[in-house]
């Protein structure tokens, strides 16, 4: 896994991130990349990564894509308003790589698209979403 994230911007992992084992490996304006090594506890009863894992990674990547500030003192949060996931293929590799791109929006909400590939390069799933920025406290 390559690390293309300014170390000063890396947040402490959430409990979900720690539990599932994913990490952010890319983050810049309008873009985020999340990687997850596949383990047996992530598989469904068919031995494939559970669809909820794909949705979680896509939601995370698209969410971070719209929240980049470049300033460790000024974090931005967002809430998912809607998300559509399209499952295209079965993962054959050992790592899922989710990428998200902010595609538009304004002051209060934004649109994003995302995709998951495995480490062989196969396109596994795509998504689109609408997110609302949370106000700073």
């Amino acid at each position: 896994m390559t690390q293309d994230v300014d170390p000063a911007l890396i947040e402490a992992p959430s409990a979900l991130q720690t539990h599932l084992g994913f990490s952010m490996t890319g983050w810049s304006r309008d873009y985020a990349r999340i990687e997850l090594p596949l383990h047996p506890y992530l598989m469904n009863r068919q031995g494939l990564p559970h669809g909820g894992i794909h949705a979680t990674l896509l939601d995370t990547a698209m969410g971070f894509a719209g929240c980049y500030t470049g300033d460790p003192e000024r974090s931005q949060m967002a809430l998912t308003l809607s998300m559509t996931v399209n499952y295209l293929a079965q993962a054959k590799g050992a790592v899922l790589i989710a990428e998200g791109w902010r595609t538009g929006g304004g002051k209060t909400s934004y649109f994003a698209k995302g995709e998951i590939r495995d480490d062989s390069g196969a396109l596994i799933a795509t998504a689109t979403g609408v997110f609302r920025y949370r106000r700073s406290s």
Side-chain angles (χ1 to χ4, degrees):
M1 292 183 225
T2 60
Q3 189 71 18
D4 295 318
V5 181
D6 179 345
L9 299 176
I10 296 175
E11 301 172 1
S14 68
L16 178 65
Q17 179 180 349
T18 299
H19 182 70
L20 294 178
F22 63 83
S23 59
M24 181 181 294
T25 58
W27 196 22
S28 58
R29 183 182 171 114
D30 298 334
Y31 173 77
R33 183 177 63 239
I34 308 293
E35 297 188 28
L36 174 65
L38 291 175
H39 297 284
Y41 62 85
L42 300 171
M43 304 305 174
N44 62 20
R45 63 189 188 138
Q46 299 173 67
L48 302 170
H50 191 284
I53 299 298
H54 297 87
T56 298
L57 294 177
L58 287 161
D59 185 45
T60 302
M62 292 187 302
F64 271 102
C67 291
Y68 183 82
T69 68
D71 180 352
E73 301 299 318
R74 190 173 58 92
S75 66
Q76 175 65 62
M77 303 290 173
L79 298 169
T80 307
L81 298 178
S82 69
M83 185 173 76
T84 301
V85 179
N86 300 295
Y87 299 92
L88 307 173
Q90 295 178 9
K92 305 256 191 260
V95 178
L96 294 179
I97 303 160
E99 293 180 287
W101 297 269
R102 181 183 177 277
T103 59
K107 288 183 178 184
T108 60
S109 63
Y110 69 93
F111 305 96
K113 68 177 183 177
E115 65 181 36
I116 291 182
R117 294 181 183 272
D118 66 13
D119 53 339
S120 76
L123 183 61
I124 307 302
T126 61
T128 57
V130 181
F131 299 81
R132 186 182 77 210
Y133 289 114
R134 293 189 66 189
R135 293 187 183 128
S136 302
S137 302

